[in-house]
Amino acid sequence: MAVPLFDTAATLAPLRGELRAAIERVLDSERFVLGPEVEMFERELAAYTGAAHGVGVANGTDAITIALRAIGVGPGDEVVVPSFTFYASAEAIPPTGATPVFCDVDPATFCVTAETVRAALTPRTKAVVVVHLFGNVAPVAEIEALGVPVLEDAAQALGSNSGAGRAGALGTAATVSFYPSKNLGCFGDGGMILTSDERVAEQARILRFHGSRDKVDYEQLGYNSRLDELQAAVLRVQLPHLDAWANGRREAARHYERAGLGELVALPRPVPDCSPAWHLYVVSDARPQRLEAALGAAGIGFKPYYRTPVHRQPPMRVWPPAGELPGTEQAAARHLAIPMSPVLSREQAEQVVAAVRAAAG
Ligand SMILES: *Cc1c(COP(=O)(O)O)cnc(C)c1O
C-alpha cells in the first residue's frame, strides 16, 4: 500500500458538507473580499493563538513583507533570517527595502537559536524573522532578550505550543499561511498577520489596502493583499478542528517512535518546552539518497525540501552570510521529509519504518 507524503483529502472528508454550506453562504451574501467572514475569522484565529489582532492578507509571503513594514523595517535596515527555511521567509525581506542577513540553525531542531541569531546581529539589525520550521517552535523569548524585535514566521506551526504560549503569539508579530498543504489550509492562497501590538495591527491593515484607511486618502505606498470571503469561510469551518489535527500529527510522530524509527535515522528534536504540531516530519541521515531510493521503491512519499539553502539560491547571492553556516549545511545535506498527516495510522508508520529499515540493513 502506498503511503502519501501528506493527506489533505482524508483529513477534510468528514467536513465536506459543512464546507459546501459555508461556500453557499458566501455566494448568497454577495460579499467576496474583506467582508464579515474575514473579520470573524481574524478574530477567531487571533483568539485561538492568544494574539489580540489578526489581519487577513493574500498569502503568507505578503504577510511577512507587510508585517515587517508595520514593525518599522525599511531601507537601510537589516533583517536576520535563517538560511535553512522555505525561500519565501527571506524573499519577503528585500521588498521592504531592508537586506536579509542569513543566520544558522541548530540541525537537530532545524530552528534558529539565540546563539545563531546573536552571531548575525549588527547595529543595523531592525528585526529577526524567526521561522518555526516544520512545526517546531523556536525560542522566541531568548531571542527577544538579545534586544531585537521578533517576527515569527509561523507558516508551518499553527497548532504548535510552547511553554510561553502558542506559535503565533510569542513575538512582536507573527505571520501564517493558509496554502492548502499547511496545518490549516484554504482552497487557494491566504495568509494572516497576528499581533498584540495595536499600532502594528493598524499599520498592517492600512498597508494591505494600498496604504489607505478609507479608500479616499492614501498615506503610504501599500499593497493589494487581501484575504477573500470564500477562503475565510472555509477556514472558519476548519479552525475548530485544528487542535485535534495537531494531536493527530503528534500521534503520528509517536507511531514512528514506537516503530523504532529513532534506531535507524535521527528524528527531529522538539525545542525544549515545546510541543510541535509537526507540519512535516523530517528525519536526518548521512546518506538520505539511500532512503529516498528505498522509500520510492516501496511507494512511500518523501521529499528533500531545502537541499540548497536559501543563501546559495542565485537571487540571494548578493547577500552572502558573514561566516560559515555549518548547521544549515548539515541540515540541507541530510534532511528528508517522510509521510506526516493528522490521519497517518500506526500501520502506515510501521510500513514506512520497514522501508527505512530495509534501506539501512
Ligand atoms: C509556506 C511558507 C511561507 C509562504 O506562504 P505562502 O502562503 O505560500 O506565501 C513562508 N514561510 C514558510 C516557512 C512557509 O512554509
Side-chain angles (χ1 to χ4, degrees):
M1 281 285 283
V3 183
L5 188 59
F6 42 77
D7 195 344
T8 31
T11 309
L12 290 181
L15 300 180
R16 282 202 167 217
E18 267 185 86
L19 289 165
R20 268 201 204 91
I23 291 167
E24 287 273 334
R25 190 169 75 225
V26 174
L27 288 182
D28 291 342
S29 79
E30 296 180 51
R31 292 280 306 269
F32 294 110
V33 177
L34 290 186
E37 298 283 345
V38 170
E39 272 170 39
M40 285 185 278
F41 180 58
E42 286 175 339
R43 263 187 243 121
E44 289 161 4
L45 188 66
Y48 169 85
T49 59
H53 310 280
V55 181
V57 294
N59 56 67
T61 309
D62 282 4
I64 298 170
T65 303
I66 292 173
L68 287 172
R69 281 193 58 191
I71 288 171
V73 170
D77 294 333
E78 292 178 354
V79 176
V80 175
V81 64
S83 175
F84 189 71
T85 179
F86 178 49
Y87 185 72
S89 305
E91 184 195 30
I93 296 169
T96 66
T99 51
V101 174
F102 292 101
C103 75
D104 209 4
V105 295
D106 174 350
T109 65
F110 303 112
C111 285
V112 298
T113 66
E115 288 68 41
T116 68
V117 169
R118 186 190 287 118
L121 296 180
T122 79
R124 288 166 64 198
T125 308
K126 191 71 180 248
V128 181
V129 175
V130 166
V131 184
H132 298 316
L133 202 65
F134 304 144
N136 222 342
V137 185
V140 172
E142 290 175 28
I143 294 163
E144 281 186 325
L146 301 172
V148 58
V150 166
L151 175 66
E152 303 172 73
D153 178 350
Q156 300 188 2
L158 270 181
S160 295
N161 308 313
S162 78
R166 289 189 193 272
L170 305 173
T172 297
T175 58
V176 294
S177 163
F178 308 118
Y179 184 76
S181 62
K182 307 281 170 154
N183 287 4
L184 185 67
C186 64
F187 297 166
D189 275 307
M192 195 176 288
I193 296 152
L194 298 158
T195 182
S196 292
D197 184 322
E198 174 85 50
R199 207 196 55 81
V200 171
E202 186 192 15
Q203 284 301 309
R205 278 215 173 80
I206 294 168
L207 285 167
R208 80 172 162 183
F209 190 87
H210 306 290
S212 174
R213 289 166 203 266
D214 55 8
K215 312 189 185 184
V216 179
D217 292 311
Y218 297 84
E219 54 192 80
Q220 39 185 326
L221 287 175
Y223 307 87
N224 173 12
S225 184
R226 303 174 300 216
L227 187 60
D228 68 67
E229 290 285 282
L230 277 172
Q231 304 308 342
V234 157
L235 288 161
R236 292 185 67 213
V237 171
Q238 297 182 56
L239 180 57
H241 304 275
L242 178 58
D243 275 339
W245 291 339
N247 284 332
R249 292 174 182 279
R250 294 183 181 104
E251 185 63 18
R254 281 193 290 271
H255 290 322
Y256 280 135
E257 286 167 26
R258 287 194 203 107
L261 185 61
E263 297 148 24
L264 307 170
V265 291
L267 304 182
R269 173 147 35 88
V271 169
D273 205 24
C274 147
S275 173
W278 296 113
H279 168 59
L280 298 171
Y281 198 75
V282 178
V283 300
S284 301
D285 188 77
R287 298 199 346 255
Q289 291 75 14
R290 177 191 66 149
L291 302 182
E292 290 180 25
L295 293 170
I300 292 166
F302 65 86
K303 190 167 171 177
Y305 273 83
Y306 314 126
R307 272 290 174 258
T308 304
V310 179
H311 75 278
R312 287 203 268 110
Q313 299 288 354
M316 296 292 163
R317 287 189 196 156
V318 288
W319 299 293
E324 303 283 298
L325 303 179
T328 298
E329 300 297 345
Q330 181 179 322
R334 297 188 175 189
H335 80 286
L336 191 69
I338 61 172
M340 169 52 69
S341 81
V343 295
L344 186 92
S345 67
R346 182 167 61 82
E347 291 73 19
Q348 287 177 310
E350 284 169 356
Q351 207 180 313
V352 174
V353 174
V356 172
R357 185 167 282 124

